[in-house]
């Protein structure tokens, strides 16, 4: 599947029928999701970090790109595309970031607007939009860019600010917006005011993916949630073995 087809999967979704993208953390989980018939996958940086023994946000860039490349390679025979969460880009210049993403074989990437050095934990939205524009220029049409908006993650639960940031990022060339951890009751407003597909995060105690679709989400991802469900099962097996 090429990038255009992956991009098209995000549009004209019927209510209650979002694009559901499971998040593999290694080659084995990628094959399991691909074998179940999903049309595409989206790696979670936190899930890969946990699988490699790192704290979220602490995975070295080389290890993240290597892990993503293994996942892509694992599903090559299935012919499905993989998008990768590349956090805030590891400080790489846009051209290098794009080149490394393409070398790993992905068709899309997430870039977040967190900035731990900023007082709010959030990057200046205009500077971040400029960076996204540079990524868009470097990638051309070769990558789907999903702009993650971290207002709710960083304790800034401001709907207007979330919309403002998302709109800036879409204007800069992002294909979709990902207001991660936005509450479900904010989704109708977000989806109505952001001029691009909106990615919602499915949580174990939250609305189902299809319910998120009915609220307006075009795309649903899971972060490290699927890995943690599997590890919960592994923990139960470990107890039985003891």
């Amino acid at each position: 599947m090429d990038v255009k087809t992956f991009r098209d999967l995000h549009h004209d979704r019927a209510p209650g029928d979002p694009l559901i993208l499971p998040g593999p953390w290694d080659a084995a989980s990628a094959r399991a999701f691909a074998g179940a018939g999903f049309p595409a996958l989206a790696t979670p940086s936190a899930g890969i970090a946990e699988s490699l023994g790192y704290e979220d946000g602490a995975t070295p860039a080389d290890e993240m790109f290597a892990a993503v490349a293994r996942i892509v390679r694992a599903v090559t025979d299935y012919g499905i595309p993989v998008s990768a969460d590349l956090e805030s880009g590891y400080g790489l210049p846009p051209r290098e970031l794009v080149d490394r993403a393409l070398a790993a074989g992905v068709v899309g990437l997430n870039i977040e607007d967190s900035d731990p050095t900023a007082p709010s934990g959030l990057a200046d939205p205009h500077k971040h939009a400029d960076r996204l524009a540079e990524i868009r220029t470097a990638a051309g049409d070769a990558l789907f860019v999903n702009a993650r908006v971290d207002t709710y993650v960083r304790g800034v639960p401001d709907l207007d600010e979330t919309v403002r940031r998302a709109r800036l990022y879409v204007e800069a060339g992002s294909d979709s917006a990902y207001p991660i951890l936005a509450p479900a009751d904010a989704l109708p407003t977000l989806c109505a005011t952001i001029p691009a597909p909106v990615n919602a995060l499915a949580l174990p105690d939250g609305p189902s993916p299809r319910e998120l679709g009915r609220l307006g989400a075009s795309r649903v991802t899971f972060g490290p949630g699927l890995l943690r469900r599997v590890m919960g099962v592994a923990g139960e097996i470990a107890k039985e073995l003891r």
Side-chain angles (χ1 to χ4, degrees), residues 131-170:
R131 177 166 167 78
L132 289 170
E134 291 177 8
I135 291 171
R136 175 85 284 156
T137 297
D141 290 331
L143 289 172
F144 183 99
V145 179
N146 188 31
R148 203 178 95 174
V149 184
D150 282 6
T151 43
Y152 289 92
V153 170
R154 294 298 176 180
V156 185
D158 185 321
L159 183 59
D160 290 340
E161 177 63 9
T162 302
V163 170
R164 182 175 81 93
R165 286 173 174 265
R167 291 179 69 91
L168 280 172
Y169 304 159
V170 171

Side-chain angles (χ1 to χ4, degrees), residues 43-47 49 55-59 64 83-92 97 108-118 120-133 135 144-154 162 165-166 169 174 176-181 199 201 219 221 223-224:
T43 69
S45 60
E55 295 293 324
D56 185 20
T59 309
M64 181 62 73
S83 181
D85 181 351
L86 298 180
E87 302 179 271
S88 58
Y90 308 106
L92 298 173
L97 178 67
L109 49 79
N110 286 6
I111 294 292
E112 64 193 45
D113 65 352
S114 280
D115 179 359
T117 67
S120 67
L122 292 165
D124 176 275
H126 294 282
K127 290 181 180 177
H128 188 67
D130 289 344
R131 177 166 167 78
L132 289 170
I135 291 171
F144 183 99
V145 179
N146 188 31
R148 203 178 95 174
V149 184
D150 282 6
T151 43
Y152 289 92
V153 170
R154 294 298 176 180
T162 302
R165 286 173 174 265
Y169 304 159
S174 297
S176 62
Y178 182 15
I180 187 171
L181 289 183
N199 185 159
L201 176 69
R219 161 175 165 160
T221 52

Side-chain angles (χ1 to χ4, degrees), residues 1 4 14 42 48 73 85 89 95 117 141 149 157 172 185-187 196 202 206 215 219 222:
M1 184 185 293
K4 181 183 184 303
I48 289 177
R73 187 167 61 248
D85 181 351
R95 178 75 264 172
T117 67
D141 290 331
V149 184
D185 60 9
L187 270 177
L215 291 170
R219 161 175 165 160
F222 301 85

Side-chain angles (χ1 to χ4, degrees), residues 71-105:
I71 287 169
V72 171
R73 187 167 61 248
V75 298
T76 298
D77 290 345
Y78 291 89
I80 65 172
V82 177
S83 181
D85 181 351
L86 298 180
E87 302 179 271
S88 58
Y90 308 106
L92 298 173
R95 178 75 264 172
E96 183 178 352
L97 178 67
V98 167
D99 287 346
R100 295 192 69 172
L102 292 173

